[in-house]
């Protein structure tokens, strides 16, 4: 951020002993205009980043004009941000002090990594719950006499809940903070596993599975934000890598664990009991962790100072400029669909992520066909075949620091050291070809006369490519749409979860009608067709963004 321009040359600094905060006094404090026409939540964050450390005491908080490529939205020479006039009382804007011990960025590195791993485990818990029932997917068929297609809805409806839940949890977390959402939503997720386990009919199972997905989706929605709260941008890469792996490693663990529960208990209900125990343990753990959302922490500090001093003028930027309800609705319910229809970068990248996610859920039904029907594995042994995907995921985590170094190297080559979104794409370009390779291997080693290690090995390149593609594509979307990042990520989540919910519904029929080889080959050609997307955006992305009204 630019250095603030100070209109009043008189500046004095003092110390407020009770909170050990620096106090900066200005009659009028001027900041550089943040990126225009963006959501208030992002706008005010950029304002806060330009404030001095500690407490700013000023009568007016104004901004300088910003340049715009759209002549109809040029700013006036100076706008007063404060709702108080120059004749009003002096306002005190509360911000983090330098090396502030209460700021999550300054918590001990060990504690921040413990928190990061815990949040990643929350994501694993939610994703695990969506696929664990595939360990005995036909248990409800035996108990309730429903069809196999209806039984598959146990997976699809939970993933459908993943699609709708973020529309509530994302804006709610901006109002209340992250911890209350975690505590309430994950408690309800744990509870809704109980009726799944004791259900007397398939309708109860399916309805409760949807609500399981709806409430569990808070982990998928808020985990990235929680990690961003703990690490500044320049040191966030490695932490985000663990988060990127969690939504994909979690579903892979599901059939592995669920299969052996099925073998050991011969009862599908125990799968839901184990899932309830896992989610319950994670809920208890997160209850002991503190809030990390910076605006909420600063608001608590301002409230404490107001109580100590009796002075109501101590506020945060977020309290001074609250996010309108209309913006929350626009950002989470309306703009995502508009951006999908008008932004080719968002549409194609979201579609890429969606196809990879859908292929993962397709494997949960293709593997039982190949390893169960062809090689006659039991449910537990079928679950073990997913270890290949986990190995590939581990390789991706090992490779992530290498691609982070490439990213940092490319930044240094840019004028002024300013990165472009396309600098995020080398990892995706390296990983993309491994997806179709894995599917070709899986398809053409699934003959009865081929050793089972062949299709099992195919999971390694798939897991490797899957995680690196998601990691790079997710960062690319964030960097392309900094003004509307909430809407862009909401759009990505809608497309991704929708495809993940849809694919399981037809995989069994596709494999049985096309046969194992050609069904896998069809999926391989689909994944091969999208391989050029990151290469195309690496070359033409800057031009596409220049013509966009929403992209950076």
């Amino acid at each position: 951020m630019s250095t603030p321009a100070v209109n009043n040359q008189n500046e004095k600094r003092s110390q407020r002993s009770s909170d050990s905060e620096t106090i900066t006094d200005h009659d009028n404090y001027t900041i550089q205009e943040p990126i225009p026409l963006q959501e208030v939540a992002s706008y005010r964050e950029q304002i806060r980043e330009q404030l001095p450390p500690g407490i700013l005491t000023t009568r007016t908080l104004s901004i300088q004009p910003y340049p715009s490529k759209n002549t109809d939205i040029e700013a006036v020479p100076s706008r007063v941000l404060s709702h108080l006039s120059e004749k009003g009382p002096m306002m005190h804007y509360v911000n983090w002090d330098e090396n502030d011990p209460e700021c999550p960025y300054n918590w001990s590195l060990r504690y921040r990594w413990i928190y990061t791993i815990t949040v990643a485990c929350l994501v694993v818990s939610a994703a695990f719950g969506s696929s664990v029932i595939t360990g005995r997917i036909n248990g409800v068929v035996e108990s309730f006499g429903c069809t196999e297609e209806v039984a598959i809805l146990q997976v699809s409806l939970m993933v459908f809940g993943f699609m709708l839940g973020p529309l509530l949890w994302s804006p709610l977390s901006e109002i209340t903070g992250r911890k209350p959402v975690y505590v309430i939503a994950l408690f309800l997720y744990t509870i809704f596993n109980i009726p799944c386990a004791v259900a007397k009919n398939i309708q109860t199972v399916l309805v409760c599975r949807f609500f399981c997905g709806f409430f569990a989706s808070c982990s998928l929605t808020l985990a990235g934000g929680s990690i961003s709260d703990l690490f500044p941008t320049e040191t966030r890469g490695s932490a985000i890598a663990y988060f990127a792996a969690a939504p994909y490693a979690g579903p892979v663990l599901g059939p592995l664990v669920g299969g052996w529960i099925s073998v050991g208990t011969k009862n599908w209900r125990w799968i839901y009991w184990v899932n309830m125990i896992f989610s319950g343990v994670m809920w208890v753990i997160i209850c002991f962790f503190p809030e990390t959302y910076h605006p909420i922490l600063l608001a608590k500090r301002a409230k404490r100072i107001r109580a100590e001093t009796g002075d109501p003028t101590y506020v945060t930027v977020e309290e001074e400029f609250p996010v309108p309800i209309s913006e929350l609705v626009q950002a989470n319910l309306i703009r995502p669909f508009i951006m999908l229809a008008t932004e080719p970068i968002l549409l194609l990248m979201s579609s890429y992520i969606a196809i990879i996610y859908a292929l993962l859920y397709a494997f949960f039904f293709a593997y039982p066909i190949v390893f169960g029907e062809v090689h006659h594995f039991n449910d537990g042994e079928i679950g073990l075949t997913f270890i290949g995907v986990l190995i590939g995921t581990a390789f991706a985590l090992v490779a992530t620091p290498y691609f982070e170094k490439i990213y940092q190297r490319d930044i240094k080559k840019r004028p002024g050291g300013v990165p472009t979104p396309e600098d995020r794409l080398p990892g995706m370009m390296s990983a993309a070809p491994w997806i179709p390779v894995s599917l070709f291997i899986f398809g053409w080693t699934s003959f009865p006369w081929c050793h089972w290690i062949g299709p099992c090995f195919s999971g390694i390149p798939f897991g490797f490519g899957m995680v690196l593609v998601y990691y790079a594509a997710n960062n690319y979307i964030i960097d392309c749409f900094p003004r509307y990042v909430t809407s862009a990520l909401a759009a990505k989540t809608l497309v991704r979860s929708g495809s993940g919910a849809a694919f399981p519904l037809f995989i069994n029929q596709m494999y049985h009608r096309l046969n194992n080889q050609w069904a896998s080959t069809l999926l391989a050609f689909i994944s091969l067709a999208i391989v050029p997307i990151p290469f195309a955006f690496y070359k033409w992305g800057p031009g596409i963004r220049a013509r966009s009204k929403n992209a950076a």
Side-chain angles (χ1 to χ4, degrees):
M1 286 293 180
S2 306
T3 303
V6 180
N7 290 349
N8 189 335
Q9 299 299 323
N10 243 340
E11 178 178 323
K12 62 179 180 178
R13 292 181 180 268
S14 59
Q15 295 295 323
R16 187 177 185 279
S17 57
S18 60
D19 284 286
S20 299
E21 288 185 339
T22 301
I23 299 179
T24 306
D25 287 354
H26 296 293
D27 186 63
N28 180 29
Y29 194 83
T30 304
I31 64 169
Q32 299 295 324
E33 173 70 46
I35 300 173
L37 293 184
Q38 63 183 326
E39 296 160 353
V40 173
S42 300
Y43 196 90
R44 65 187 186 179
E45 181 180 351
Q46 292 181 50
I47 294 173
R48 174 161 51 82
E49 288 175 351
Q50 294 189 67
L51 296 183
I55 297 175
L56 167 66
T57 300
T58 184
R59 192 179 306 279
T60 58
L61 182 62
S62 56
I63 56 179
Q64 292 181 347
Y66 54 79
S68 172
K69 59 185 177 183
N70 300 311
T71 56
D72 58 330
I73 59 171
E74 289 290 349
V76 295
S78 180
R79 283 190 289 152
V80 176
L81 287 181
S82 175
H83 61 70
L84 298 170
S85 68
E86 292 189 13
K87 296 181 180 180
M90 298 292 283
M91 295 297 295
H92 302 80
Y93 291 96
V94 179
N95 194 15
W96 296 123
D97 208 348
E98 293 183 8
N99 301 317
D100 196 318
E102 293 184 11
C103 177
Y105 289 165
N106 298 321
W107 294 349
S108 72
L109 183 61
R110 178 185 178 188
Y111 185 76
R112 284 185 287 153
W113 271 105
I114 291 174
Y115 206 137
T116 298
I117 293 172
T118 300
V119 168
C121 288
L122 289 178
V123 177
V124 169
S125 172
F128 170 88
S130 68
S131 64
V132 66
I133 194 58
T134 59
R136 194 176 179 85
I137 192 71
N138 287 330
V140 293
V141 176
E142 301 163 3
S143 297
F144 305 132
C146 62
T147 63
E148 187 174 284
E149 288 75 18
V150 172
I152 292 172
L153 287 173
Q154 293 175 96
V155 175
S156 292
L157 284 175
M158 184 161 179
V159 179
F160 187 65
F162 288 168
M163 182 174 74
L164 297 182
L167 301 179
L168 172 64
W169 307 129
S170 180
L172 190 61
S173 69
E174 294 181 9
I175 298 172
T176 66
R178 310 205 194 278
K179 184 174 179 178
V181 176
Y182 278 134
V183 171
I184 295 173
L186 294 181
F187 173 75
L188 292 173
Y189 168 46
T190 301
I191 294 300
F192 269 98
N193 278 284
I194 298 175
C196 290
V198 301
K200 301 297 182 183
N201 53 64
I202 186 62
Q203 292 88 343
T204 301
V205 174
L206 297 182
V207 169
C208 292
R209 283 292 282 174
F210 166 77
F211 282 110
C212 280
F214 185 84
F215 292 116
S217 67
C218 79
S219 299
L220 303 174
T221 307
L222 305 184
S226 295
I227 295 172
S228 298
D229 293 339
L230 297 168
F231 295 91
T233 304
E234 56 271 18
T235 61
R236 193 178 297 159
S238 299
I240 290 292
Y242 285 92
F243 164 65
Y248 294 92
V252 175
L253 288 172
L256 196 159
V257 175
W260 286 111
I261 296 173
S262 172
V263 170
T265 65
K266 307 295 183 183
N267 190 334
W268 60 271
R269 296 180 187 274
W270 263 106
I271 295 177
Y272 286 125
W273 286 121
V274 170
N275 191 47
M276 186 206 74
I277 294 170
F278 184 17
S279 60
V281 168
M282 293 310 305
W283 173 74
V284 170
I285 292 173
I286 199 61
C287 286
F288 287 98
F289 280 89
E291 177 64 66
T292 61
Y293 191 43
H294 291 219
I296 294 296
L297 295 176
L298 286 171
K300 290 180 178 179
R301 171 176 288 186
K303 182 179 179 181
R304 184 176 70 241
I305 296 175
R306 289 195 297 268
E308 292 174 354
T309 63
D311 186 349
T313 62
Y314 284 90
V315 296
T316 65
V317 171
E318 286 76 15
E319 290 175 313
E320 182 84 344
F321 315 110
V323 178
I325 297 298
S326 59
E327 178 182 299
L328 294 177
V329 174
Q330 173 81 3
N332 293 278
L333 299 179
I334 299 175
R335 191 181 294 121
F337 298 99
I338 296 175
M339 291 179 68
L340 281 173
T342 59
E343 296 293 340
I345 289 177
L346 180 61
L347 176 63
L348 291 176
M349 279 297 176
S350 296
S351 299
Y352 206 127
I353 293 173
I355 290 173
I356 303 304
Y357 195 66
L359 288 173
L360 175 62
Y361 276 86
F363 274 3
F364 298 144
F365 299 91
Y367 271 44
I369 292 173
V370 171
F371 294 105
E373 298 178 12
V374 176
H375 294 288
H376 309 293
F377 285 12
N378 63 31
D379 291 337
E381 292 166 341
I382 292 172
L384 290 175
T385 60
F386 284 92
I387 290 177
V389 182
L390 287 176
I391 293 173
T393 300
F395 285 159
L397 290 178
V398 172
T400 299
Y402 170 74
F403 289 107
E404 275 295 309
K405 290 180 181 178
I406 293 178
Y407 176 68
Q408 297 298 331
R409 183 196 66 193
D410 291 343
I411 290 177
K412 293 178 181 178
K413 295 179 181 178
R414 299 290 180 186
V418 178
T420 67
E422 286 69 35
D423 292 330
R424 296 286 189 180
L425 293 177
M428 188 175 181
M429 293 188 297
S430 301
W434 291 107
I435 306 295
V437 166
S438 70
L439 288 164
F440 280 123
I441 294 174
F442 181 72
W444 295 100
T445 58
S446 59
F447 291 101
W449 46 266
C450 283
H451 195 277
W452 57 265
I453 197 66
C456 192
F457 174 81
S458 69
I460 297 178
F462 182 81
F464 178 79
M466 171 180 67
V467 172
L468 286 179
V469 163
Y470 177 76
Y471 174 66
N474 199 57
N475 283 327
Y476 183 60
I477 290 174
I478 292 172
D479 290 351
C480 280
F481 302 99
R483 289 184 294 176
Y484 302 123
V485 65
T486 301
S487 301
L489 293 179
K492 178 210 69 176
T493 300
L494 286 168
V495 176
R496 182 191 70 182
S497 298
S499 62
F503 260 55
L505 297 175
F506 59 81
I507 291 299
N508 282 351
Q509 295 90 329
M510 186 173 78
Y511 268 76
H512 285 137
R513 293 181 183 180
L514 293 181
N515 75 40
N516 298 339
Q517 293 74 42
W518 287 108
S520 298
T521 300
L522 175 60
L523 296 177
F525 277 124
I526 292 174
S527 62
L528 184 63
I530 61 176
V531 165
I533 289 177
F535 294 89
F537 282 140
Y538 190 78
K539 182 175 182 180
W540 294 297
I544 296 173
R545 288 188 289 107
R547 292 190 294 271
S548 169
K549 293 182 178 180
N550 300 316

